[in-house]
Amino acid sequence: MTTAATRSERQISPIFLGLVAIMAVSGWAVWTGFSSNTGFAVFLFVVSGWIVSLCLHEYAHARTALHGGDISIGAKGYLTLNPLKYTHALLSIVLPVVFVILGGIGLPGGAVFIERGRISGRWKHSLISAAGPLTNILFAIALMLPFTLHLVDPFDPGQTPFAAALAFLAMLQVTAAILNLLPVPGLDGYGVIEPWLSYKVRRQMEPFASFGLLAVFGVLWIPEVNAAFFGFIDSVTHAFGLPDGLSGLGYQLFRFWDNAL
C-alpha cells in the first residue's frame, strides 16, 4: 500500500499563497508605517496570519493521516492548503475568525475528514489528532522568537504597532493550542486520548462531540475561568519576552473600526 499523493494533489493552492502574500504585505506595511491606516493593516495581517495558521493546522492533520494509512487524503484536496477544501469551511475558517473579531481569542476550528478505518494503531490515531495543535505551538514560537532574540523592540514607537500585531497573533496561536489540547469531545485533545479509551466510554462520549467547542466557549465567559485562563496565557508569553499589555494593544489596533468612532 502506498501513502504517496500525486503531484496535483500536493500542489499548493493559489488561495493559500494569496493569504501568505496578504500577510507579508500587510505586515510590511505595519512595520514600515507605509499604510495610511495602521489599524486596517494590522487587521489584514492578523486575519490573514490566523487563516494561514488554520490551513497549516488542518494540513498537519491530513499529512499525518496520509502517512498513517489514509490514502484518500490527497483526493480530497487537503494537501493543497486550500481552506475551501475543508469538510466544514464554516467551522474551520469562518467561526474562528468571528471569535477573534468578537473576543480576541483563538478558538480552534475543525476539520478535515479522515477515514479512521484505514488507519491501524492507537499511536497513529493519537498523533494525527496531536499534529494540528502542535502546529499552532510551532507557529506561536516562531512569532514570539523575535521578542526573545530582541529582533523587535516593542518600546520603540516606530516598531510598537508591528510588535503589538505580532504579539496579538502569537497570543491567538497559544490560546488555540491550549484550548484544542483540552480533553473535551470534539477537540483534538480528546482525539489524542480517545484511542486509549474503552469502546463503551467512546460511545458514551460521541453525542457530546458536536457541542464540545461551544461548551468551551461558554465556560470561558465565566469571569473567574476567563481570568485564570488568560493569566496562564500571559505567563506563557512573558516567558518568551512579550511585555504586559502588548497583545491587548494589538487587539485594539486590530479593531480599527473602534478607533474610527
Side-chain angles (χ1 to χ4, degrees), residues 52-161:
V52 164
S53 74
L54 293 173
C55 292
L56 293 173
H57 176 111
E58 303 302 345
Y59 174 85
H61 284 311
R63 190 77 187 190
T64 310
L66 175 68
H67 291 290
D70 184 1
I71 59 175
S72 70
I73 288 295
K76 295 181 176 118
Y78 297 157
L79 302 179
T80 65
L81 290 160
N82 183 351
L84 300 181
K85 293 293 185 179
Y86 300 145
T87 307
H88 300 293
L90 176 65
L91 291 176
S92 294
I93 303 298
V94 178
L95 282 182
V97 171
V98 169
F99 285 138
V100 171
I101 293 173
L102 294 181
I105 184 171
L107 283 181
V112 293
F113 177 71
I114 296 170
E115 297 184 20
R116 294 278 182 170
R118 295 175 177 264
I119 301 166
S120 60
R122 290 182 292 184
W123 281 109
K124 289 182 181 179
H125 286 282
S126 294
L127 184 58
I128 290 168
S129 295
L134 287 176
T135 301
N136 290 112
I137 292 173
L138 291 176
F139 203 166
I141 292 174
L143 292 169
M144 292 187 291
L145 275 180
F147 297 95
T148 308
L149 300 176
H150 304 292
L151 301 176
V152 176
D153 182 3
F155 301 107
D156 181 342
Q159 298 184 34
T160 298

Side-chain angles (χ1 to χ4, degrees), residues 124-207:
K124 289 182 181 179
H125 286 282
S126 294
L127 184 58
I128 290 168
S129 295
L134 287 176
T135 301
N136 290 112
I137 292 173
L138 291 176
F139 203 166
I141 292 174
L143 292 169
M144 292 187 291
L145 275 180
F147 297 95
T148 308
L149 300 176
H150 304 292
L151 301 176
V152 176
D153 182 3
F155 301 107
D156 181 342
Q159 298 184 34
T160 298
F162 179 76
L166 204 63
F168 179 49
L169 184 55
M171 185 272 291
L172 294 178
Q173 300 302 319
V174 175
T175 58
I178 292 174
L179 291 173
N180 219 358
L181 285 172
L182 294 175
V184 176
L187 299 181
D188 290 329
Y190 178 76
V192 172
I193 66 171
E194 184 181 26
W196 307 89
L197 301 176
S198 68
Y199 175 77
K200 179 179 179 181
V201 172
R202 294 200 304 268
R203 287 298 302 270
Q204 290 175 335
M205 293 294 103
E206 282 180 4

